[in-house]
Amino acid sequence: DTGVSQDPRHKITKRGQNVTFRCDPISEHNRLYWYRQTLGQGPEFLTYFQNEAQLEKSRLLSDRFSAERPKGSFSTLEIQRTEQGDSAMYLCASTYQTGLAGNTIYFGEGSWLTVV
Amino acid sequence: AQKVTQAQTEISVVEKEDVTLDCVYETRDTTYYLFWYKQPPSGELVFLIRRNSFDEQNEISGRYSWNFQKSTSSFNFTITASQVVDSAVYFCALSERNQAGTALIFGKGTTLSVSS
């Protein structure tokens, strides 16, 4: 049973460029989350999907950010026109969610983004 | 208002010492879930424990133990006979049933350094 995998693990990009991160959740997990973590802080919620539907976005997710989960399996997070403030680690997580219970959420190793 | 507070930013101990990491949370929900995660330098968030609000029993797993007290809204984590491999950032997190997606709300983390 493989865990949550993310690609790439590290990305350095110039300001203004677009970047895309991919997340492959644990198979059969129906819920997928994206978080952002900056140095010295805990992860902050960005958005989540229930199967292929994106059900909520945080205020942190500006218009330059877009996430998709087209077939309810893998997900992508794209950042357009990157800014230095986007430098952070982007974490993907997944769970099998039934009802309203707070099931255990499993995280990937994260994708580090550095905008220069 | 911060919902999860980890007042200890950094803790340094010598191997074999016991150490307690504090976590105080705030919620109005009657049903909620509390978690601890470990984040080693590699970046991946490793799940340690999940506790629901109706289960106040303390839990022990090897050298790890957790003390959940609803009266003080605390969910503290103790490592007994610490080891160098315990060095990491530890996060406490809250999941509220009424929060969309039951997404985790993290504290800022406590960095534990165990020296030999």
Side-chain angles (χ1 to χ4, degrees):
Chain A
D1 181 29
T2 58
V4 179
S5 61
Q6 295 187 240
D7 183 69
R9 293 291 319 282
H10 301 273
K11 179 72 176 179
I12 299 175
T13 190
K14 292 183 179 180
R15 188 175 53 187
Q17 297 293 306
N18 298 345
V19 296
T20 299
F21 299 113
R22 176 182 170 118
C23 170
D24 287 274
I26 294 172
S27 61
E28 298 180 359
H29 276 191
N30 56 0
R31 187 164 288 185
L32 184 147
Y33 304 83
W34 284 99
Y35 284 79
R36 181 174 71 185
Q37 185 179 17
T38 53
L39 286 176
Q41 301 295 317
E44 297 173 293
F45 168 75
L46 291 178
T47 187
Y48 88 97
F49 293 82
Q50 181 72 22
N51 299 310
E52 67 275 8
Q54 186 175 18
L55 297 185
E56 175 134 344
K57 300 182 204 179
S58 157
R59 289 189 308 260
L60 295 175
L61 213 65
S62 77
D63 292 343
R64 297 182 296 104
F65 287 69
S66 63
E68 295 182 344
R69 194 183 183 198
K71 297 184 180 179
S73 56
F74 73 92
S75 175
T76 58
L77 177 68
E78 181 183 16
I79 308 174
Q80 296 182 325
R81 305 181 303 282
T82 52
E83 301 173 355
Q84 287 186 324
D86 297 332
S87 296
M89 181 164 68
Y90 292 86
L91 287 158
C92 179
S94 70
T95 187
Y96 184 75
Q97 186 69 24
T98 56
L100 294 175
N103 290 343
T104 299
I105 298 175
Y106 297 93
F107 285 81
E109 292 182 309
S111 292
W112 284 98
L113 172 65
T114 302
V115 182
V116 297
Chain B
Q2 194 170 355
K3 290 200 169 186
V4 179
T5 302
Q6 294 180 255
Q8 304 149 308
T9 304
E10 295 183 15
I11 300 176
S12 295
V13 298
V14 178
E15 249 187 334
K16 299 184 183 177
E17 283 187 32
D18 298 347
V19 58
T20 296
L21 309 181
D22 297 333
C23 173
V24 174
Y25 62 92
E26 176 187 333
T27 181
R28 294 181 180 180
D29 282 353
T30 55
T31 302
Y32 53 90
Y33 302 83
L34 296 163
F35 300 78
W36 276 94
Y37 285 85
K38 173 182 179 180
Q39 189 174 44
S42 62
E44 181 180 3
L45 281 162
V46 178
F47 166 75
L48 295 177
I49 191 171
R50 166 181 176 265
R51 171 69 74 228
N52 73 55
S53 53
F54 297 106
D55 182 2
E56 285 195 75
Q57 284 188 350
N58 292 332
E59 177 146 346
I60 298 174
S61 175
R63 296 185 296 107
Y64 296 170
S65 62
W66 290 269
N67 183 357
F68 176 31
Q69 292 194 342
K70 288 179 73 170
S71 61
T72 55
S73 296
S74 65
F75 186 43
N76 297 337
F77 173 31
T78 297
I79 302 175
T80 303
S82 59
Q83 300 176 2
V84 173
V85 294
D86 296 327
S87 297
V89 183
Y90 291 86
F91 290 98
C92 180
L94 166 71
S95 172
E96 297 169 313
R97 189 181 67 171
N98 292 327
Q99 176 170 320
T102 61
L104 296 170
I105 304 165
F106 285 87
K108 293 188 175 182
T110 297
T111 300
L112 174 63
S113 298
V114 183
S115 57
S116 56

